Amino acid sequence: LNIDQAYAAWTPYDDMKITFGKMPNPLRLDDAVWDSDYTPEGVAFSYAYELSQNHKVGVALGGIIVDESGSDSSDAYAGLAQVTLDSTLTSRVSSYFGVATYNLFNKEAAKELGASYMRGNTATYSGNPVTQVNNQNYNTYIFDGALTYQMDSFPAYQGTFPISFGGTYITNPTLDDEERGYLVTIKFGKAKKVGNWEMGYQFRELQADSLYDNWVADDYGAYGVGGDSNSYYAGTDVRGHVVHFKYQLTASMQCAARVMRTEALTTSSHETTRGQFDLIWKF
């Protein structure tokens, strides 16, 4: 039996929250950038402020433990920050924009975790600490945004029908090579009400040192990631396409299917195709 979340939250004012423990991710990031399966542990602060009737600004700050060090008292930990803006542009069009960053401290303590689990960061397979490349700090910035248009109706769909187009740009400015990432996403519908469905496409390119590889989606990988053309690993150092479909069966049950076509960026290897099917029951 594993406990995924155990935390305390205090709301001193409306739209302000302080959270401590093994908690939901305080940052709003795409699953490709920070896997929804990863539960951070630490402290977080969030606050939302309405600039006007149609514009709302959000601020999130956090400090989390990255890895427990068994050899000494110095644990690897990270500082997190994000600013977001949600806007209603017209009766049909809404937008989202966010800027996020994180920085890892005592990064040498994260060496064993990176070497044994995910792959992609240059240092993971060069024998150095996973978050240190050429003795430079590992600090990444994520810029993302989306536009959503609501149609009055659509065949085989209940209620207004959303069409969303978005993108993400990632950079690790402390490095000069393999430091960027890109996401382009289009999505039709939203599988929330019973009988409704959702389908979408995303292009992903995560260069080797664009992100800390242990936090990215652990289902998205390829042969050649990490330098071994004969082995499959997930993490960074991968480019490819993702197509997904979801259908809301009942109020508590959803089925989802996904197909990924990927290739490693720095290692010559054949392309990888991977399919997944999930039946999700919430209670």
Side-chain angles (χ1 to χ4, degrees):
L1 175 66
N2 294 318
I3 298 176
D4 185 53
Q5 295 181 358
Y7 62 91
W10 177 42
T11 306
Y13 304 103
D14 291 342
D15 293 324
M16 179 184 291
K17 182 184 289 186
I18 300 171
T19 310
F20 177 82
K22 198 171 177 63
M23 58 190 176
N25 193 339
L27 306 185
R28 292 170 58 182
L29 295 172
D30 191 283
D31 184 67
V33 175
W34 194 315
D35 198 329
S36 58
D37 289 342
Y38 183 89
T39 305
E41 184 175 355
V43 62
F45 167 85
S46 62
Y47 179 67
Y49 176 74
E50 288 192 5
L51 291 176
S52 66
Q53 183 179 358
N54 296 324
H55 302 281
K56 192 170 188 177
V57 173
V59 177
L61 304 171
I64 65 171
I65 295 174
V66 176
D67 190 28
E68 293 281 352
S69 175
S71 58
D72 54 46
S73 60
S74 298
D75 296 327
Y77 61 98
L80 319 172
Q82 185 179 43
V83 177
T84 61
L85 175 63
D86 289 280
S87 301
T88 301
L89 303 179
T90 71
S91 59
R92 294 180 180 271
V93 181
S94 60
S95 68
Y96 163 80
F97 180 73
V99 180
T101 184
Y102 58 72
N103 196 8
L104 282 83
F105 304 93
N106 292 335
K107 51 190 175 292
E108 293 80 6
K111 180 177 181 179
E112 292 184 2
L113 178 66
S116 62
Y117 183 39
M118 303 282 273
R119 290 290 200 277
N121 288 163
T122 302
T124 301
Y125 47 87
S126 67
N128 297 317
V130 300
T131 53
Q132 184 178 7
V133 182
N134 299 326
N135 295 317
Q136 299 184 66
N137 246 347
Y138 194 90
N139 183 208
T140 194
Y141 291 86
I142 303 127
F143 305 86
D144 60 343
L147 278 174
T148 300
Y149 178 79
Q150 297 281 353
M151 296 179 61
D152 289 334
S153 62
F154 196 84
Y157 191 91
Q158 302 178 44
T160 59
F161 184 77
I163 301 175
S164 178
F165 178 79
T168 302
Y169 172 71
I170 304 158
T171 182
N172 182 2
T174 59
L175 303 176
D176 298 322
D177 191 30
E178 299 295 332
E179 82 284 9
R180 297 180 182 179
Y182 313 90
L183 306 176
V184 179
T185 307
I186 186 168
K187 187 167 66 173
F188 302 91
K190 189 171 185 178
K192 190 173 183 180
K193 294 181 180 180
V194 176
N196 278 355
W197 52 271
E198 170 188 320
M199 64 181 301
Y201 163 81
Q202 185 177 72
F203 170 79
R204 302 178 184 176
E205 179 175 318
L206 301 177
Q207 296 178 4
D209 296 309
S210 58
L211 295 164
Y212 177 43
D213 58 11
N214 276 313
W215 287 346
V216 302
D218 61 3
D219 295 321
Y220 184 77
Y223 281 92
V225 169
D228 185 352
S229 61
N230 296 314
S231 297
Y232 177 94
Y233 289 107
T236 56
D237 187 33
V238 61
R239 172 201 295 130
H241 312 271
V242 182
V243 177
H244 81 269
F245 178 82
K246 296 179 181 179
Y247 183 80
Q248 195 69 32
L249 292 169
T250 70
S252 59
M253 187 173 293
Q254 181 185 88
C255 64
R258 178 167 52 171
V259 176
M260 295 165 281
R261 179 72 169 173
T262 58
E263 63 179 347
L265 292 173
T266 59
T267 305
S268 178
S269 185
H270 59 81
E271 289 187 314
T272 304
T273 301
R274 186 179 188 185
Q276 292 180 314
F277 178 80
D278 295 300
L279 187 63
I280 304 163
W281 179 35
K282 295 183 179 181
F283 59 94

